[in-house]
Amino acid sequence: MTVQAWTFVIVGLTFALYMGIALWSKARSTGEFYVAGKGVHPVANGMATAADWMSAASFLGMAGLISFAGYDGSVYLMGWTGGYVLLALLLAPYLRKFGKFTVPDFVGDRYYSQTARIVAVFCAIFVSFTYVAGQMRGVGLVFSRFLEVDIHFGVMIGMGIVFMYAVLGGMKGITYTQVAQYCVLIFAYMVPAIFISIMMTGNPVPQLGMGMMETGSGTFLLDKLDDLHELLGFASYTDGSKGMFDVFCITAALMVGTAGLPHVIIRFYTVPRVRDARSSAGWALLFIAILYTAAPAVAVFARTNLIDTVANQEYASMPPWFGKWEQTGLITFDDKNGDGWIQYLGNPAANELTIDPDIMVLANPEIADLPAWVIGLVAAGGLAAALSTAAGLLLVVSSAISHDLLKRALMPTITEKGELIAARVSAAVAVLIAGYLGINPPDYVAATVAFAFGLAASSFFPAIIMGIFSKRMNREGAVAGMVTGISFTALYIIWFKFVDPASNVEANWLWGISPEGIGTVGMGINFLVALVVSRMTPRPPDEVVKMIEEIRLPRGSGEAHEISA
Amino acid sequence: MIDRRAYWTANIRYVTILLLVWFTVSFGFGILLVEPLNEIRLFGSGFKLGFWFAQQGSIYVFVLLILIYVRLMNRLDKRYGVSEDEDSAE
């Protein structure tokens, strides 16, 4: 069978599976719609969290990014896993004990303020939409490359699938679908990684293979890659070129941003007990770590293979995958000196080959000459990653609108049925907007990802942390902290990304911190402002202090969430 | 009577120690000390130690930290009688 036939079969089978699960677990109450009846086993919840978290960016984008950035790519690896430690130790158990549905719920109740709640609602919606647009785009890319359909048609198919299980199934449908999607995506990621690891190093574990000697050459793979980079004039693979303080700040912003993302936090409301929330975070990180420790290995293999295949080779002798990706415009060859050979060099003036890092994971099995079914599997895995994340995000958007904005702020008398209808309608509208953004992406999608993390880091995280660990923190402090933290971060990013992109170079940055890392400073400002303001304004009321004391003890978590009948 | 203060102090102590390790392996070994550590090879493999911590080691330690935290807290909950298993006894 051809690559295309395999892709049809594998993608078709996995989609049928997701649909079946969504229909089987249709939500009946609002409680089930938002948090799956709070009865999900921690291992299942860990898998669902992992699928929720690992988006098209993790599955398709990350290894490619690391492949081209080398050591500098470590910020994503440490940033997107280290956040789970913060989540497990500082947030998840307490938020589960608090026992309401959403992040704005916590912020609104803890700081006894509708203003704080509404600020949190808008942050949640903005952060989530930023992500969804990227996921829809990823779906469209996979479809258009492997099913050879138009990218618009690809996005529409994706919208239909997400609509089916997010809008009809709610959180319950999503949770079990995401468990299935995790299995598909991790299998799809590891199979080619293991194949290539055996081919290149003889070791079947990619995480170990990347530190081994290359089969037949007697040099370590990493040393060979460093030598190749030096030879071609690229920065050394294992040393990197970003400033140390910038690497520090980007890693911190990604970690804290991860711990503050509403669609990840909401998952910890779905387990039955506080101790399940703790272990659920552990399971989630374990499942995520399998992919995240394999990604740098995939990056090394792909980079070495790529350089071996293309550098200083005759253009006419390139394998078929090269031409196919050239057609998509993601590989371009410009024979500057007209000799018909590919000069792939670090010096931009002499370099003749441009490769989009996003294609590396999809192209990797073909570059390594793996069988056609593996390529189909990778396509199915990429779709699983994109769809699971999109569905989780859409749920956050719909719950923010129907629950936080309508029920808790604007229309407190709304019935449970009315709330459920409002949730479905807002999920449907969100799917349509996300689809529109996927078809007509604003060309700053990549830039807005930094925006989402920076916002989450500089707004939610300090507010939640201080809400749990400081009894003295009050409404005035939290609101002032969130507003100044967000404003500073947003203005810095907007300035360098949208207003004056030409000045976005290290010399102009504050203390050498790039817009990607500025959320760390924003977070610091948030903490500082909140502490100072809270000391100058009245203490929080007694019932709030009592609530904090209750949140700190696991016992009694069963009573806290009798919200829906 | 539950000794809330002692329970909370013990909890904070665990979290502080675990976060110190968290900081050391990632920000410490993976970023601030990466250059001196890169002079060392991990068990004679191709991994420079600092690079390994940044791309592999820190992640393994993160997983371990959460597992340790879960065990410590379950024990602590039992010792102070605040475990959820006690709910049914109320």
Side-chain angles (χ1 to χ4, degrees), chain B residues 2 4 7 30-31 35 41 48 53-54 64 79 82 87:
Chain B
I2 299 165
R4 288 172 184 267
Y7 172 77
I31 297 175
E35 279 165 29
R41 292 279 173 143
K48 295 176 182 171
F53 265 108
L64 280 178
R79 196 182 323 144
V82 297
D87 279 347

Side-chain angles (χ1 to χ4, degrees), chain A residues 543-564:
Chain A
E543 63 265 24
V544 170
V545 175
K546 231 179 134 205
M547 182 188 116
I548 304 167
E549 295 212 331
E550 278 311 305
I551 287 174
R552 292 179 178 183
L553 291 184
R555 189 168 177 178
S557 65
E559 301 147 18
H561 55 75
E562 294 302 324
I563 281 193
S564 58

